[in-house]
Structure formats: structure tokens, C-alpha cells
Amino acid sequence: MSTGQERFNAFKRTNTILHHLRMSKHTDAAEDVLLEKKGCAGVITLNRPKLLNTLTFNMIRQIYSQLKKWEQDPETFLIIIKGAGGKAFCAGGDIRVISEAEKAKQNIAPVFFRVEYMLNNAIGSCQKPYVALIHGITMGGGVGLSVHGQFRVATEKCLFAMPETAIGLFPDVGGGYFLPRLQGKLGYFLALTGFRLKGRDVYRAGIATHFVDSEKLAMLEEDLLALKSPSKENIASVLENYHTESKIDRDKSFMLEEHMDKINSCFSANTVEEIIENLKQDGSSFALEQLKVINKMSPTSLKITLRQLMEGSSKTLQEVLTMEYRLSQACMRGHDFHEGVRAVLIDKDQSPKWKPADLKEVTDEDLNNHFKSLGSHDLKF
């Protein structure tokens, strides 16, 4: 059987599992994502507003397939992605479903993460201008749908975070690529603590390329759709005009500006233990607050994440996604991811019992096993 046929069969099996898992809660899966040709653009609308537009396997598969078609279509000049409902762009992947399936011995994680990371790469290498309107909650998988694209437009309602260390995972979807490339050690800080950035600060941090007041977002979209056979420069010019005219928080400085020296010095260490020691030595209220946060995170996740970013800083996006795929499968086999999902999303007691519970119990061997090649099961592009 060809590799293509095997993948197709795996997709079908996974779809069936996810369909059964979701049927009791949600019946109109076909409308979870809207894919429409409007004017000069292909428009992707994530359409699960009551569930903060969290991503299902089916949504990822549909977006990937349509993105590839639009990329080849001479009448499609740009691609716009947005979230329905005004509350969230996308709060991430539907990880509760993945955890439930894994516990039920329905092995969907290999295919879910494979196709999600393939989509992240397709966005990063998209030959058409790609505009993500990141209005509202933008976390985890939602960051993967936006940050690798050419244009990312934040509003004052944008709430960005990569909170994976709190659920026994790591900042995936290419986090190992874009986070270490942010100014100084900002990306390491965001990755390890899950710190939330809001509004114009998402632009100031370098995650968004433009900032627009939310009341102008619909007009911006209309102006983009009305362009006639636009070039990348035409699209950039429209975005730049709206950005220049935006007024909200224009005169405020970056919320982390006063802490950047501390972030750069404390998070420049090569081990999590040293970072913790640096924060203790610093002793400022900001440093001690971060220490408190880090101490609640999965020790395994913290160590994986630091190494992921250090290695990712010199890798291509594709190389990072291959590395992250290995990490994702190791996390599915482990304890902390399922415990994190239970504590944060299912029982909501916010008291995960990590194993190991202490950083010093996470050995180099444990760490190396997470990064090991999967041989023929590796993610390839």
C-alpha cells in the first residue's frame, strides 16, 4: 500500500473516532469552519464560537486542503483567516478530545498532530499573502494558525498565550521556531510561564505585524476584499494605513518593557534549575511572581520546553515541527499531559499531580527520550 493511501486510511479512521467522540455534544461538524471565496480572497472562518473556536481534526484537515487549492488558484490573491463570535480567534486545539481518545486506546494523536503541524508548515510556506485577524483569545493551536503567516493583525481584544507547560505539554505548533526569535529572552519567558500578552502588546512583542482598533476590523476586511488583483505590497499598504490610524493604547509603552532586563538576564540560563536560581537571586516582586508560576508547571514540560527553544533557535520551521512531532508523541505516552488536561479542563480543580513532581527527578535520559527520532514514523515534509 502506498504511503499516500496509508495516510488517507489513517485520516478516515481518525475522523470516525473524533466523530463518535463529539456526536453527543456537537452535531453540525460540517459548519465548524467556513471556507469561502470572497472578492479577491479566500476567507477561512473558524466557526465554533461557543467553544472559543477550538480546532478539531476535521477543521484542520479542511483548512489544509482548501489552503493548498487557493494557493494554486490564479484568481485567489490573498487568504484571510478569522474567528467567529468576537470572543476568540482560536483558543487552541481540542486537546480534551485527544486525551479522552488516548485513554480509550483510540490512537488518534499521531494523525492529529501530524496534520496540524503540516498545516502550520503550509501557512509558513504559503505562496499567497496570508492575513490572520487575531481578535480575541489566541492561544496554542490558534497561534499556530496565525504566527507563521505573513501578516498578523491584533486588536485591543487580542489575548495571546502559549500556556502548555500548565497542562503537561510544550509550546508546540512551531513555538520552537518563533519564540526564540522574539527580542532577547522574551520567547523563553513566554514559553515557560505561559504569560499572557494583551492588545497592542502582542504587536510590540513582535507576534503581530500590525495593530488595528477592533471597531475598524470589519472595514479593514472589506477594504482587503475589494482590492483588484492585489500584490503583496498593495495588501501591506492597506494594513499599514489602518495600523497608522489606530488609536487605542498608542501612547502606552510595552507592559514588559520595565522587566526586559530581568527577563533577559534570568532566562538566559541553559537549565531550568539555573533560571529558577536566577529568579530567586533577583528577588524582585516580578521575579518572585514568575518563580511562583514556574513552580506550578509540569517539571517535565519545563525541561522539554527550554531545550525545544534552545534547539529551535537554529532550526528551520520544518525541522522544528519534526522535532515537536517527536515531543508530542512522547507526551501522549507519558503521564503529565493527561493529568494536566484532567486538572485544567475536565475536573477543573487546578491541582495537577505531576510525575515526576520535582525537576531534579527529570533525568537527562527522560529528556533525551522525548527528542528521539521516530524512524519511519517521523514527521516528513
Side-chain angles (χ1 to χ4, degrees):
M1 191 187 293
S2 71
T3 307
Q5 186 62 43
E6 284 170 355
R7 276 187 188 167
F8 179 71
N9 289 344
F11 287 174
K12 280 175 69 178
R13 285 197 300 276
T14 307
N15 252 341
T16 304
I17 294 164
L18 285 168
H19 178 70
H20 288 312
L21 278 167
R22 270 296 179 214
M23 273 310 282
S24 59
K25 299 173 190 172
H26 189 72
T27 52
D28 197 13
E31 294 301 310
D32 282 349
V33 59
L34 308 177
L35 303 160
E36 304 165 287
K37 185 74 199 305
K38 293 183 178 180
C40 66
V43 181
I44 303 162
T45 307
L46 308 172
N47 193 35
R48 302 176 85 205
K50 288 179 182 170
L51 295 165
L52 303 177
N53 297 322
T54 48
L55 280 174
T56 65
F57 174 79
N58 211 33
M59 291 165 73
I60 294 165
R61 193 177 54 79
Q62 287 181 67
I63 295 167
Y64 180 84
S65 173
Q66 189 61 59
L67 187 66
K68 289 295 183 186
K69 286 177 189 161
W70 280 334
E71 204 173 5
Q72 300 303 318
D73 175 22
E75 297 304 308
T76 302
F77 291 87
L78 79 146
I79 292 155
I80 295 172
I81 186 167
K82 60 182 181 174
K87 201 169 179 185
F89 167 68
C90 173
D94 201 339
I95 52 174
R96 178 174 174 168
V97 165
I98 298 168
S99 182
E100 286 172 352
E102 290 295 304
K103 283 182 184 167
K105 300 286 186 277
Q106 293 166 325
N107 200 19
I108 66 166
V111 191
F112 183 97
F113 286 103
R114 187 178 293 276
V115 181
E116 183 177 26
Y117 295 177
M118 284 170 68
L119 174 57
N120 299 146
N121 177 63
I123 292 166
S125 59
C126 186
Q127 297 303 300
K128 300 281 172 80
Y130 183 97
V131 181
L133 304 177
I134 48 176
H135 174 66
I137 297 165
T138 304
M139 296 184 183
V143 176
L145 287 181
S146 53
V147 78
H148 305 299
Q150 200 166 8
F151 302 110
R152 291 92 64 189
V153 183
T155 73
E156 76 279 5
K157 300 281 174 62
C158 182
L159 180 63
F160 164 94
M162 293 298 277
E164 289 83 0
T165 55
I167 54 160
L169 206 55
F170 59 96
D172 66 335
V173 297
Y177 180 79
F178 84 87
L179 287 164
R181 287 166 172 79
L182 298 179
Q183 58 185 284
K185 293 294 175 178
L186 178 62
Y188 292 79
F189 164 72
L190 296 173
L192 294 169
T193 64
F195 189 89
R196 297 177 171 197
L197 292 172
K198 295 173 188 168
R200 201 180 277 262
D201 281 337
V202 180
Y203 163 74
R204 292 193 181 105
I207 294 153
T209 57
H210 297 81
F211 177 86
V212 172
D213 299 343
S214 63
E215 62 180 34
K216 299 280 178 67
L217 203 56
M219 280 169 57
L220 166 63
E221 189 180 343
E222 281 174 27
D223 283 355
L224 288 172
L225 296 179
L227 291 169
K228 299 284 181 267
S229 309
S231 65
K232 184 178 77 175
E233 289 71 26
N234 298 147
I235 293 159
S237 176
V238 171
L239 293 173
E240 199 55 45
N241 287 341
Y242 273 86
H243 175 79
T244 305
E245 289 169 16
S246 66
K247 295 184 173 64
I248 295 172
D249 291 339
R250 183 191 282 170
D251 301 324
K252 285 187 182 173
S253 59
F254 182 37
M255 71 180 297
L256 290 171
E257 192 62 52
E258 61 181 305
H259 304 301
M260 277 311 298
D261 286 346
K262 287 187 198 314
I263 288 170
N264 291 339
S265 60
C266 290
F267 286 82
S268 61
N270 290 329
T271 68
V272 179
E273 289 90 340
E274 286 175 71
I275 290 172
I276 285 173
E277 189 53 39
N278 288 344
L279 291 167
K280 283 180 185 168
Q281 292 293 327
D282 181 280
S284 65
S285 58
F286 176 79
L288 296 178
E289 184 59 38
Q290 305 324 310
L291 188 61
K292 206 161 81 179
V293 170
I294 285 174
N295 282 332
K296 290 179 183 170
M297 304 306 189
S298 155
T300 302
S301 289
L302 290 170
K303 287 202 170 183
I304 292 168
T305 298
L306 181 58
R307 178 162 158 187
Q308 171 206 0
L309 267 62
M310 288 169 71
E311 292 197 11
S313 66
S314 59
K315 290 182 186 290
T316 64
L317 177 59
Q318 288 190 354
E319 288 168 344
V320 164
L321 290 166
T322 297
M323 169 180 70
E324 291 180 357
Y325 185 71
R326 294 169 181 172
L327 295 176
S328 74
Q329 299 315 293
C331 287
M332 293 307 107
R333 296 192 299 270
H335 166 273
D336 280 6
F337 169 68
H338 304 290
E339 173 60 9
V341 169
R342 180 207 64 74
V344 175
L345 298 175
I346 299 174
D347 298 341
K348 299 184 180 176
D349 56 32
Q350 312 300 327
S351 298
K353 305 289 182 283
W354 305 125
K355 288 182 189 172
D358 200 297
L359 277 168
K360 63 177 176 285
E361 293 169 32
V362 183
T363 65
D364 287 346
E365 187 185 359
D366 293 335
L367 207 51
N368 291 337
N369 283 336
H370 279 78
F371 287 82
K372 257 187 195 161
S373 167
L374 299 172
S376 62
H377 297 292
D378 258 342
L379 175 61
K380 297 179 182 73
F381 296 98

